[in-house]
């Protein structure tokens, strides 16, 4: 598990030819946001949720074009200036990655109860052609 300051961002490496799905849910009185920046620093995801009872969620997906043999750096930025914890899980078929999931848990204040969670799942579409 790693940690980072949410507003500084966290770099994830994604191969070309991959579909990335994302979701954010929050239990927080204040709006919690998620931004994803592509390798050219353009914003491709920009969303926020605000809910005291986990009823407000946001989700979507994007496609990473390019060669599957090339790796592209995307940056995940959270609204929190507090520590965000991140971990990942990988499912392989032999030595090939089929799917990789990044799970982020962030804090909106100082009580350390991880009020918002985000996941990003990369799915290697080349394995399903």
């Amino acid at each position: 598990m790693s940690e980072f300051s949410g507003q500084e961002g966290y770099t994830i490496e994604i191969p070309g030819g991959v579909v990335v799905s994302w979701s954010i849910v929050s239990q927080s009185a204040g709006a919690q946001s998620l931004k994803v920046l592509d390798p050219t620093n353009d914003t491709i995801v920009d969303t926020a949720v605000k809910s005291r009872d986990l009823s407000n969620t946001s989700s979507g997906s994007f496609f990473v074009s390019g060669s599957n043999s090339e790796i592209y750096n995307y940056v995940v930025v959270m609204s929190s200036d507090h520590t965000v914890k991140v971990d990942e899980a990988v499912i392989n078929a032999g030595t090939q990655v089929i799917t990789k999931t990044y799970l982020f848990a962030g804090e909106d204040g100082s009580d350390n109860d991880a009020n918002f969670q985000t996941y990003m799942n990369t799915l290697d579409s080349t394995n399903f052609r």
Side-chain angles (χ1 to χ4, degrees), residues 24-32 49-57 108 115-117:
I24 182 171
V25 62
S26 172
Q27 181 271 311
S28 174
Q32 303 302 318
V49 295
K50 179 180 176 181
S51 171
R52 291 181 183 252
D53 62 0
L54 300 174
S55 63
N56 189 352
T57 64
D108 67 342
N115 292 99
F116 65 96
Q117 297 79 39

Side-chain angles (χ1 to χ4, degrees), residues 38-84:
D38 71 8
T40 62
N41 216 31
D42 287 335
T43 300
I44 58 169
V45 174
D46 189 0
T47 189
V49 295
K50 179 180 176 181
S51 171
R52 291 181 183 252
D53 62 0
L54 300 174
S55 63
N56 189 352
T57 64
S58 184
S59 62
S61 63
F62 59 90
F63 180 74
V64 178
S65 60
S67 168
N68 190 257
S69 62
E70 296 291 323
I71 300 296
Y72 303 92
N73 291 326
Y74 284 73
V75 178
V76 178
V77 180
M78 313 296 268
S79 57
S80 176
D81 61 352
H82 298 280
T83 298
V84 175

Side-chain angles (χ1 to χ4, degrees), residues 90-93 96-100 122-125 127-128:
V90 179
I91 296 174
N92 296 311
Q96 179 136 10
V97 173
I98 299 296
T99 186
K100 182 183 262 189
T122 61
L123 178 63
D124 187 344
S125 61
N127 292 316
F128 300 98

Side-chain angles (χ1 to χ4, degrees), residues 9-22:
Y10 183 83
T11 300
I12 59 175
E13 296 177 337
I14 305 173
V18 167
V19 175
V20 177
S21 60
W22 57 268

